[in-house]
Amino acid sequence: MSGEGAADSYDVIVVGSGAGLVGAYAAASRGLRTLVIEKTEYVGGTTAYSGAGIWLPGNAAEQRAGVEDGPDVARPYLDAIVGDDSPAALREAFLQAGPTLIDELEKNSRFGRFFWQGVPDYFAGRPGSLPQGRTIFPENLDRSELGDLEPLVRRPLWTERWGVEVPSEMIGGQALIGRALLAFMETGNGTVRTNTALERLIVEDGAVVGVEALSEGESVTFRAGRGVLLAAGGYERNGALRERFQPGVTDEWTQGCEGNTGDALTAGIDIGAATDLLDESWFAPGLVVPDTRPVFYTSVWSGIWVNAAGQRYLNERLPYDRAGHEMLKAHRSSHVSHLPTHWVFDQRQLDNKRAFAGLPVAPQVPGWFDVEKFLAAGVLKRADTLEELAELIGLPAGALTESVEQFNGYARNGKDEQFGRGEDPWDLMITHMAGAHTDGPNPCLGVIDEPPFYAATIVLSDLGTKGGLKTDEHARVLRPDGSVISGLYASGNTMAPMSGRIYPGAGGPVGSSMAFSYIAAVDMAGTDR
């Protein structure tokens, strides 16, 4: 679908249509004729699946909520947790851009007013960490406001996976993408072409001046006078690239959308771009379910996770990316398998109805955790005793019983002496949201002693890969010698992240993608923010 002035020559080309749409809007609103090309039939990418948490310290929505924050508060936090895994200049550019970006978006009524919601930062106790969190969200959007544009927006994840009817109101990532698409098209300078896949970058005299793409089966060429922004996600759906850069991490368990096969990444590499952190992902434990990919699930209030030796090895309530990294680290550093992990719980977890449906990250599908269906598919095991359960899942005799008895002692005493579960703000927040408090002294620790007993399967999933093309603080792509590839920019999961190997807080991926897409647009426009 095109806006006014559609042609084969533009000022700016944006490859990908997730949070990069914010950059497209920033360029188009500055008078630049901007083309967005999207490989699939929908705009939105993995951002459309997300809850659209946005981590941008010091923004207006935080201020309205009375949260005391800003670059000077957040800088020590990022410095402490990221360290040397990314350039400090990237972090500083991110911190300076975030508040300005939100101010600019809120001037357009299509974006509405963002709102703060307390989600604790993921590294409690570090300098600058906020127990109340920094995460903001877009307002919901009535689907009818999109008019003829509505069919362009990627369907909700649960519609795609389970066929759930599309709700009349867009929430989370749906709302963010819907609002950005409306704002972009209403500039009069915006064009969107779906079913248009990047094939290669056009380089003349060392500068990127356009793209070649495959659109509806035909080869097309688009030229860009100001630059090309690669914002096409990661390579999580490309099995060959995952085997090359992340051995042992399969593309079969990812939450990323189907179009994320690394086309933009490889196009950049092909013209000599430098890369970094390609072994990294936004990891998350995934609960294996019948007939579809594992689901991102972080509502474990009861039970324990054990490896193939029947032993606990982490705080099961860690923020998801930290838990994922712990799973991978344990698996790679031990002779004992940790992938998959066994989640062992008792009847109490099933009896608490909200524990499987009370969180935004749980599938928005009534009755999705169908015990009999899970049992029939073999992804859930059930037994009357722990000894029988251990035999069903192949654990050493007595090991599971010993681990459960040790954990039950912690639950009765109220202190997880091994891994500190229930001591951090994140642990307590998830328990509160799930309405899954235990009767014991620690609301995050529940005794496991009510048969029957169950074992579900947890694998290492992700929200997308996060390594990519190296950039400077203006989002300009760099060569290995540090020189700039003129005319080429990157953001989101196509860009090596400013957050290095860590996930600072809820909305880190979306916030960073928005910020660097905006930074790229401002640089291409040649204007001050």
Side-chain angles (χ1 to χ4, degrees):
M1 179 162 298
S2 300
E4 293 296 323
D8 62 355
S9 182
Y10 298 84
D11 296 311
V12 172
I13 296 173
V14 179
V15 180
S17 62
L21 272 177
V22 170
Y25 165 74
S29 67
R30 286 165 168 76
L32 301 182
R33 292 182 301 110
T34 304
L35 168 68
V36 173
I37 64 170
E38 164 58 44
K39 178 180 180 180
T40 71
E41 63 182 306
Y42 297 117
V43 301
T46 304
T47 301
Y49 290 157
S50 75
I54 301 167
W55 200 86
L56 290 172
N59 62 73
E62 281 185 289
Q63 294 172 9
R64 288 193 293 268
V67 179
E68 296 184 5
D69 194 16
D72 291 342
V73 179
R75 188 180 299 110
Y77 178 63
L78 284 176
D79 288 347
I81 61 179
V82 177
D84 296 329
D85 288 334
S86 80
L90 289 186
R91 301 198 293 274
E92 190 61 29
F94 166 81
L95 290 171
Q96 297 301 326
T100 306
L101 166 60
I102 296 301
D103 285 347
E104 183 171 322
L105 297 183
E106 289 194 337
K107 290 178 181 177
N108 186 322
S109 61
R110 286 302 190 185
F111 283 100
R113 279 163 64 94
F114 294 87
F115 64 93
W116 172 85
Q117 184 169 310
V119 184
D121 284 339
Y122 289 171
F123 290 82
R126 298 297 185 93
S129 172
L130 294 188
Q132 72 270 39
R134 302 174 152 99
T135 306
I136 65 171
F137 297 85
E139 295 176 326
N140 294 349
L141 177 68
D142 193 286
R143 194 172 292 274
S144 64
E145 289 192 36
L146 282 157
D148 293 341
L149 293 174
E150 192 280 331
L152 279 180
V153 179
R154 178 168 291 281
R155 306 294 91 177
L157 181 60
W158 314 123
T159 296
E160 290 192 357
R161 290 193 182 182
W162 272 283
V164 176
E165 185 177 347
V166 175
S168 60
E169 190 170 52
M170 291 179 162
I171 63 172
Q174 290 268 297
L176 179 63
I177 293 299
R179 290 181 176 282
L181 180 60
L182 276 170
F184 173 61
M185 296 303 292
E186 289 177 355
T187 64
N189 295 314
T191 300
V192 174
R193 289 189 61 141
T194 55
N195 296 307
T196 302
L198 173 67
E199 298 233 289
R200 74 178 187 91
L201 297 167
I202 301 171
V203 180
E204 295 177 359
D205 298 325
V208 172
V209 297
V211 303
E212 287 187 3
L214 191 65
S215 182
E216 305 289 356
E218 295 184 6
S219 181
V220 292
T221 299
F222 302 111
R223 297 185 69 86
R226 299 292 187 96
V228 174
L229 169 61
L230 300 179
Y235 64 88
E236 58 268 15
R237 287 291 197 112
N238 187 319
L241 287 181
R242 293 212 82 149
E243 183 58 32
R244 176 181 173 188
F245 297 123
Q246 301 186 2
V249 180
T250 176
D251 61 311
E252 297 176 357
W253 295 342
T254 184
Q255 309 294 317
C257 75
E258 61 184 358
N260 292 356
T261 55
D263 302 353
L265 170 68
T266 55
I269 292 173
D270 286 346
I271 65 165
T275 62
D276 198 17
L277 298 173
L278 290 177
D279 60 332
E280 278 293 345
S281 294
W282 304 98
F283 286 118
L287 175 66
V288 178
V289 301
D291 305 325
T292 188
R293 289 173 178 263
V295 300
F296 169 40
Y297 194 68
T298 186
S299 185
V300 179
W301 69 275
S302 178
I304 59 175
W305 290 1
V306 298
N307 59 22
Q311 300 168 334
R312 287 182 76 209
Y313 62 94
L314 82 171
N315 168 9
E316 298 87 349
R317 296 298 302 278
L318 281 173
Y320 40 92
D321 184 67
R322 291 181 61 188
H325 275 92
E326 286 295 321
M327 293 173 70
L328 187 59
K329 177 183 175 182
H331 185 71
R332 288 178 171 171
S333 64
S334 172
H335 66 280
V336 175
S337 175
H338 293 72
L339 299 177
T341 280
H342 306 284
W343 174 20
V344 175
F345 54 90
D346 66 2
Q347 188 61 35
R348 286 187 184 87
Q349 175 83 24
L350 295 182
D351 290 344
N352 184 345
K353 303 303 182 184
R354 288 196 65 192
F356 282 103
L359 289 179
V361 295
Q364 304 300 293
V365 183
W368 71 273
F369 196 94
D370 185 324
V371 171
E372 297 307 318
K373 185 176 181 180
F374 274 55
L375 289 168
V379 299
L380 182 69
K381 304 292 184 182
R382 178 173 61 193
D384 291 331
T385 67
L386 288 170
E387 291 77 10
E388 292 171 344
L389 186 65
E391 185 175 355
L392 283 176
I393 57 179
L395 301 185
L400 179 60
T401 301
E402 182 178 343
S403 292
V404 169
E405 289 178 349
Q406 183 181 51
F407 179 79
N408 284 347
Y410 300 155
R412 293 186 180 101
N413 294 330
K415 183 175 179 60
D416 178 2
E417 296 178 9
Q418 276 187 294
F419 303 109
R421 181 164 136 193
E423 296 177 7
D424 285 346
W426 167 266
D427 298 19
L428 297 168
M429 184 273 295
I430 291 293
T431 295
H432 176 75
M433 288 180 68
H437 296 271
T438 69
D439 295 328
N442 186 327
C444 299
L445 306 178
V447 174
I448 309 168
D449 66 355
E450 184 176 318
F453 300 96
Y454 298 86
T457 307
I458 302 292
V459 295
L460 182 62
S461 183
D462 60 73
L463 310 181
T465 56
K466 67 185 294 190
L469 306 178
K470 292 186 73 170
T471 66
D472 67 6
E473 64 272 25
H474 303 290
R476 300 178 300 184
V477 175
L478 303 176
R479 298 183 180 90
D481 65 2
S483 62
V484 170
I485 300 178
S486 180
L488 187 62
Y489 300 77
S491 67
N493 290 349
T494 308
M495 164 191 169
M498 71 87 197
S499 57
R501 297 186 179 278
I502 60 86
Y503 199 141
V510 175
S512 182
S513 182
M514 289 172 60
F516 283 97
S517 297
Y518 175 67
I519 289 169
V522 170
D523 195 74
M524 284 185 271
T527 60
D528 294 331
R529 293 173 198 157

